[in-house]
Amino acid sequence: MNVSEQIDKRIKELGSWRGEMFANLRKIVLAVEPTLVEDWKWDTLVWTSNGLVCAVGAFKDNVGLNFFKGASLADPKKLFNAGLDAKTSRSVRFYAGDKIDEAALKELVRAAVSANKK
C-alpha cells in the first residue's frame, strides 16, 4: 500500500469529525508548500521538506498537528495548545466542533518549512 492509500485508509477508519478534521488539515498543509512530501511514519501522516516538518495524529478526543520544531516558531495567533513544555516540538489540538484558523495555520506551516531550510 502506498502512502496516499495509507492516508486515505486512516481517514476512512476515523470517520466522523476526526476523519474530516484529519482530511482538512491534510488539505491545508498541502496547499501551503509544494516542496512538502507526505510520508507514513510511526503509523501516522508526516510531512517532510529538508527534514521533518509536521505530522497529524488522531486521538480519542482530538486530532493534533505536531510541529517538530514548533518551540522555535513564532506563534502570534497562539495556536499552539499542547506540548508547550517540550524542548523542541509544539502541537495544535483540535476537538469536535473546533474551527481551523486556516490563515494562521498556513503561516505556521510556512515558518516550519522555512526553519528546515536554515
Side-chain angles (χ1 to χ4, degrees):
M1 188 178 309
N2 68 33
V3 171
S4 187
E5 291 170 336
Q6 288 269 33
I7 296 163
D8 291 341
K9 179 179 179 232
R10 176 59 49 88
I11 290 168
K12 185 177 178 181
E13 289 170 350
L14 291 170
S16 71
W17 75 268
R18 292 185 311 146
E20 185 178 318
M21 182 66 72
F22 195 109
N24 286 339
L25 291 171
R26 180 187 190 197
K27 184 176 89 172
I28 291 167
V29 170
L30 287 175
V32 170
E33 177 64 44
T35 64
L36 284 171
V37 175
E38 290 187 313
D39 203 353
W40 192 257
K41 296 177 185 268
W42 312 294
D43 199 34
T44 197
L45 171 55
V46 176
W47 289 279
T48 61
S49 179
N50 296 315
L52 297 169
V53 175
C54 56
V56 65
F59 306 94
K60 183 178 178 179
D61 67 344
N62 71 82
V63 176
L65 186 61
N66 181 62
F67 289 81
F68 292 98
K69 295 181 180 176
S72 66
L73 303 178
D75 182 20
K77 297 284 186 162
K78 305 293 184 210
L79 295 181
F80 291 134
N81 59 6
L84 302 177
D85 293 333
K87 288 184 180 181
T88 57
S89 66
R90 295 286 183 274
S91 295
V92 182
R93 300 280 183 199
F94 297 94
Y95 297 86
D98 282 355
K99 302 285 187 228
I100 299 173
D101 183 339
E102 194 170 323
L105 194 59
K106 285 180 176 181
E107 285 303 314
L108 276 179
V109 174
R110 281 186 197 99
V113 170
S114 179
N116 277 6
K117 290 179 181 176
K118 295 178 180 175

